[in-house]
Amino acid sequence: MQPACEYFPPLDDPVTDPVFPLRLWLCAACGLAQLADDAEIPDEPEGLEPAALARQRADAVATAHAAGLLPVGATVAEGATPHGGSWQAELESLGLRFVADDTVADVVVDGTFGMMHATDQAAALDRLVDRLAPDGVLLFQFHSLAAILREEQWNAVRLGHYAYYSLPALLGMLEVRGLGVTSAWSFPLYGGTVMIAARRGAVADTSVARIVDDELASGVLDARALQKLQEGVDTSTAALRQLAEDASGAGQRVYAYSAASRAVALLYLADLHDDLLLGVADAAPAKHGCRMPGTTVPIISPSDLIAAGPDVVLMFVTDLLPEVRRALPEIEACGGRWMDAGSGAVATATT
């Protein structure tokens, strides 16, 4: 049972946060990993797009453009963008033209992890394919289930994200709709983000087989591999609790950075409150004055974090560490240490 990871209650809200079941199932028929339960969860406050996501978008657009998939004058339709970060500005700068919601397009994009928010995955994919012109290309980007398994990213599984894709599963989902994957590219974001290009009647190049083989080796179609994520839940939450207790016992002031959805389950299961974790800093103003769901830990601004002079700052989203260290040099200048909340590793000058 987990609190809603997209809603951050006001700090002075005395109401006990409701919790919802969080269970991950793997379909033996199609290979898609999905949440087993459909919980009605509150809306997410507006956040700021991290530089890591902006770089990923730029890399993906540049890759698709270099592959000749974004010709000048082509029409574009984009799927849902619940995380922000629309591709519209980049694609229009390349001479493509966005069309109305009821119009088919030469290029259909789901590049910001939008479809995983749909409780009905078949209907969501149908909506994307229905927008595709007969000879058009679908560009779909996903945080690979293989990366979640390889790096034991159990807290990437969260309420509101209903599907966790692998390329083998997507090949089958697209095939029944008459589409084939022509090419696939892997990016380092979140330990492994994949973009695919799919067309009607397509023939795959070698990049598709390479990623399929890699993902199969990671166990994306093996329920036993997914079951091992539970071991990561138990060990990482216990380790985080111990880390916070040891630091607090030594008289150190422990804070954290990034009030991200993946941090919610970690803090809740580790049973961390404001007696051990004094605050979580986040750049999104909409979250300031709120608290982490299911806890009493306040969310503060980066400037408040600097003013607090922390001894330890736990980073909940490792991909953001380089940009945050550059933005907040005062933390280390005053003797504070950045630490990976998952591994407990101390960030070094070369991180």
Side-chain angles (χ1 to χ4, degrees):
M1 303 299 290
Q2 295 292 316
C5 56
E6 292 190 333
Y7 175 70
F8 298 87
L11 185 58
D12 57 0
D13 184 352
V15 177
T16 300
D17 299 333
V19 293
F20 308 90
L22 180 62
R23 299 185 294 164
L24 182 66
W25 284 9
L26 180 69
C27 177
C30 73
L32 181 62
Q34 292 182 268
L35 296 192
D37 306 282
D38 177 9
E40 290 292 333
I41 58 178
D43 292 333
E44 183 177 4
E46 183 177 356
L48 297 181
E49 183 184 35
L53 288 180
R55 287 194 302 270
Q56 164 63 25
R57 183 175 65 252
D59 289 346
V61 170
T63 297
H65 186 241
L69 302 175
L70 304 174
V72 173
T75 55
V76 183
E78 188 172 36
T81 57
H83 294 287
S86 168
W87 287 29
Q88 183 166 355
E90 281 92 344
L91 296 185
E92 287 182 338
S93 71
L94 294 173
L96 284 79
R97 178 170 54 88
F98 273 68
V99 295
D101 290 344
D102 57 350
T103 307
V104 299
D106 302 316
V107 181
V108 175
V109 175
D110 188 315
T112 59
F113 317 106
M115 199 175 87
M116 69 188 308
H117 286 256
T119 56
D120 187 334
Q121 285 291 297
L125 184 54
D126 285 341
R127 285 192 293 271
L128 291 175
V129 175
D130 288 346
R131 299 292 308 277
L132 194 61
D135 58 349
V137 60
L138 170 66
L139 296 176
F140 185 84
Q141 189 165 246
F142 60 97
H143 178 204
S144 175
L145 179 61
I148 294 174
L149 295 176
R150 281 194 305 265
E151 301 190 6
E152 297 184 351
Q153 301 171 358
W154 63 265
N155 57 337
V157 179
R158 40 154 286 195
L159 295 166
H161 280 182
Y162 293 98
Y164 300 83
Y165 308 102
S166 66
L167 187 47
L170 281 169
L171 288 174
M173 294 167 67
L174 292 167
E175 182 180 7
V176 298
R177 291 164 175 82
L179 272 66
V181 176
T182 62
S183 302
W185 302 268
S186 184
F187 301 92
L189 182 69
Y190 300 147
T193 293
V194 175
M195 180 175 70
I196 61 172
R199 295 182 184 271
R200 294 181 175 91
V203 176
D205 63 21
T206 57
S207 66
V208 177
R210 176 179 53 81
I211 292 180
V212 166
D213 290 344
D214 176 69
E215 293 193 338
L216 289 174
S218 298
V220 295
L221 299 184
D222 183 354
R224 293 168 299 180
L226 271 69
Q227 287 174 336
K228 292 180 180 178
L229 288 176
Q230 184 62 46
E231 298 174 10
V233 175
D234 301 333
T235 57
S236 60
T237 54
L240 178 60
R241 173 83 188 183
Q242 190 65 54
L243 186 156
E245 288 179 343
D246 290 348
S248 179
Q252 297 179 325
R253 293 159 296 167
V254 183
Y255 286 79
Y257 193 94
S258 185
S261 57
R262 68 175 62 186
V264 172
L266 187 61
L267 291 188
Y268 181 72
L269 292 177
D271 195 26
L272 290 188
H273 292 273
D274 59 353
D275 56 337
L276 292 176
L277 184 62
L278 301 179
V280 178
D282 196 276
K287 296 180 182 179
H288 301 162
C290 299
R291 58 178 170 79
M292 297 298 293
T295 78
T296 56
V297 178
I299 302 174
I300 62 176
S301 69
S303 59
D304 288 338
L305 177 65
I306 293 172
D311 299 297
V312 175
V313 183
L314 304 172
M315 174 55 74
F316 288 131
V317 183
T318 307
D319 299 79
L320 306 185
L321 183 55
E323 65 186 79
V324 173
R325 290 181 72 195
R326 288 193 297 269
L328 304 177
E330 299 90 343
I331 300 298
E332 289 168 293
C334 294
R337 295 174 294 153
W338 293 96
M339 298 184 69
D340 187 320
S343 67
V346 178
T348 64
T350 57
T351 300

